[in-house]
Amino acid sequence: MASETQNSPFIKSLTSSDKEIRDQALDSLRTYLSSRTEISELDLMKLWKGLFYCLWMQDKPVHQQRLSKDLASLVPTLQPAITIPFLAAFWKTMAREWGQIEALRMDKYLFLIRQYVNASFKFLAQNDWADKARIESYMAVLEETPLSPNDVKIPNGMRYHALDIYVDELEKVGGGDWEKKKETLEILLGPIKKLQKEGRDKTVRKAAQETLDDERLPIWRGEKVQDTEMEEGEGGTDDEWGGIED
């Protein structure tokens, strides 16, 4: 296929400083992506470079968050055949550009990553997480890029952030109803387990272990009963601190 993405007029508009032009470009992009059943990896990488710098140009925090959510909203408009390649290109782009993100711009990219972790889980959760091949395919993407145990080109900062938000976003999408889907849960945790065992960096292995030690996971597996009621009983009004008595 010729490089349609490169030649599409909305690509250059994605980095425009004019909000109206950027919004129109995103609408055009959404229409373009929703109609495609195949896009080359090269074109996806070129596309994501444009999207990366589209967010780069956005300065106001409120607009940054809106744009990140808009970019994540592209995922459910994609044809299934290109969704995982599109997500893979996102992670490769973030890994490639990470070193250029200075402190003042980092927060908006961390927010974008959170939005994309959430969007990817929603994609996997379709039909009650029934498509195991789809889940395993995306786990391979995570093992290759953000949670790669061996690739020294993957920034540890990106690894830490992915680990930090993983269970939070899984909870938002999957809730706590995992007892009947324990096998799926373990597949979803597979890249983290591999990182914990095979990671080259000791601090990364420790961060992976901390994620696996999240107190929600044994509850989801049915290994531990949530003790909220017990905590409420123990911490009733009689135990409240009333200040220093005279």
Side-chain angles (χ1 to χ4, degrees):
M1 182 180 69
S3 187
E4 291 182 53
T5 304
Q6 182 182 22
N7 296 328
S8 297
F10 53 74
I11 287 297
K12 291 183 179 180
S13 300
L14 289 172
T15 55
S16 171
S17 58
D18 187 306
K19 177 182 175 298
E20 184 175 350
I21 293 176
R22 289 199 310 273
D23 287 347
Q24 291 174 352
L26 281 168
D27 287 341
S28 298
L29 176 59
R30 189 174 287 108
T31 300
Y32 167 79
L33 289 174
S34 65
S35 67
R36 306 301 303 176
T37 57
E38 183 180 357
I39 304 177
S40 72
E41 181 181 3
L42 178 61
D43 279 350
L44 284 172
M45 292 300 293
K46 290 175 179 176
L47 170 62
W48 262 110
K49 186 171 185 178
L51 294 175
F52 181 90
Y53 283 103
C54 180
L55 183 57
W56 182 281
M57 297 294 291
Q58 185 55 259
D59 295 326
K60 296 182 179 180
V62 173
H63 295 159
Q64 291 168 6
Q65 291 191 7
R66 194 194 72 174
L67 179 56
S68 292
K69 290 178 180 179
D70 285 344
L71 293 179
S73 75
L74 293 172
V75 176
T77 71
L78 302 172
Q79 297 293 328
I82 69 166
T83 303
I84 289 180
F86 180 83
L87 292 170
F90 161 75
W91 286 115
K92 288 176 182 177
T93 300
M94 292 304 304
R96 182 187 64 196
E97 305 292 342
W98 189 270
Q100 300 185 54
I101 306 173
E102 65 267 35
L104 291 176
R105 284 191 166 99
M106 183 57 75
D107 281 352
K108 58 184 173 184
Y109 287 103
L110 296 179
F111 187 79
L112 177 66
I113 287 175
R114 182 181 286 275
Q115 297 306 305
Y116 260 81
V117 171
N118 184 274
S120 64
F121 284 156
K122 286 179 178 177
F123 170 67
L124 300 181
Q126 290 176 5
N127 301 316
D128 200 26
W129 308 89
D131 195 335
K132 296 296 190 295
R134 173 185 290 181
I135 296 172
E136 290 173 351
S137 180
Y138 186 61
M139 294 303 102
V141 169
L142 296 183
E143 288 182 12
E144 180 183 359
T145 309
L147 298 177
S148 170
N150 299 311
D151 191 345
V152 295
K153 294 181 181 179
I154 304 301
N156 278 344
M158 190 169 77
R159 286 188 176 100
Y160 295 140
H161 186 56
L163 289 168
D164 188 49
I165 65 177
Y166 202 91
V167 177
D168 289 343
E169 298 310 312
L170 201 55
E171 182 177 38
K172 290 177 186 177
V173 175
D177 185 25
W178 288 103
E179 281 198 58
K180 296 180 181 179
K181 299 186 285 290
K182 291 181 183 179
E183 180 182 351
T184 300
L185 178 61
E186 298 312 317
I187 294 173
L188 290 163
L189 294 174
I192 302 176
K193 294 177 181 178
K194 186 172 182 178
L195 182 60
Q196 188 277 325
K197 291 179 181 178
E198 303 178 15
R200 295 167 60 98
D201 191 306
K202 182 178 180 180
T203 58
V204 171
R205 295 197 303 272
K206 182 179 178 181
Q209 185 61 59
E210 289 174 353
T211 299
L212 294 172
D213 289 340
D214 190 292
E215 61 185 9
R216 288 167 288 188
L217 296 180
I219 294 172
W220 293 354
R221 294 184 180 109
E223 299 169 355
K224 177 182 176 182
V225 178
Q226 194 165 8
D227 52 4
T228 304
E229 292 182 2
M230 183 181 299
E231 290 174 359
E232 290 178 351
E234 293 175 352
T237 55
D238 291 342
D239 295 330
E240 290 183 1
W241 181 63
I244 299 174
E245 295 182 1
D246 295 333

